[in-house]
Amino acid sequence: MAAITKDQVKHVANLARLAITEEEAEYYTGKLATIIEFAEQLNEVDTAGVEPTTHPVPLVNVFREDEPVKGLDRDLMLKNVPEHEDGMVKVPSILG
């Protein structure tokens, strides 16, 4: 792959709506070139026979079973509500 140029860095910064100085463009050109070189090294790794994975470590669901339970008693809950009407909590309108 061709080396990244300062103009490309400035173009990407512009697309991202980032204002960068000439010095910053020069700095990030070097940093991005290093990242690209590393990515190219990864392309050289022989992955023949390696199964694709979505995660490097097997994941186990540690959550409890999802079982329905009786909810909070409505009358008990409405005791702590400042305003309610017809068994529902009344809140201020937020839209015009």
Side-chain angles (χ1 to χ4, degrees), residues 1 4 8 10 12 15-16 18-20 24 32-33 35-36 45-46 48 65 72 76-77 80 82-83 87:
M1 178 174 206
I4 189 164
Q8 289 172 320
K10 289 161 73 175
V12 171
L15 292 175
L18 298 173
I20 62 173
E24 289 172 326
L32 290 172
I35 292 169
I36 291 169
V45 174
D46 180 20
E65 289 296 319
L72 188 61
L76 179 62
M77 185 268 306
N80 294 318
E83 248 185 291

Side-chain angles (χ1 to χ4, degrees):
M1 178 174 206
I4 189 164
T5 66
K6 187 164 59 167
D7 287 336
Q8 289 172 320
V9 171
K10 289 161 73 175
H11 176 70
V12 171
N14 183 49
L15 292 175
R17 304 293 190 254
L18 298 173
I20 62 173
T21 64
E22 286 294 320
E23 293 80 23
E24 289 172 326
E26 188 71 38
Y27 173 78
Y28 288 117
T29 300
K31 290 293 185 183
L32 290 172
T34 304
I35 292 169
I36 291 169
E37 286 174 25
F38 179 72
E40 288 174 351
Q41 286 179 7
L42 292 176
N43 287 332
E44 296 171 8
V45 174
D46 180 20
T47 57
V50 177
E51 291 291 322
T53 60
T54 57
H55 199 277
V57 178
L59 295 177
V60 177
N61 188 352
V62 295
F63 299 112
R64 64 173 168 71
E65 289 296 319
D66 189 15
E67 297 175 3
V69 294
K70 184 168 173 29
L72 188 61
D73 180 60
R74 183 180 301 232
D75 292 328
L76 179 62
M77 185 268 306
L78 289 175
K79 283 183 179 180
N80 294 318
V81 174
E83 248 185 291
H84 59 88
E85 185 176 302
D86 299 325
M88 293 181 268
V89 177
K90 193 170 181 181
V91 297
S93 175
I94 58 169
L95 300 175

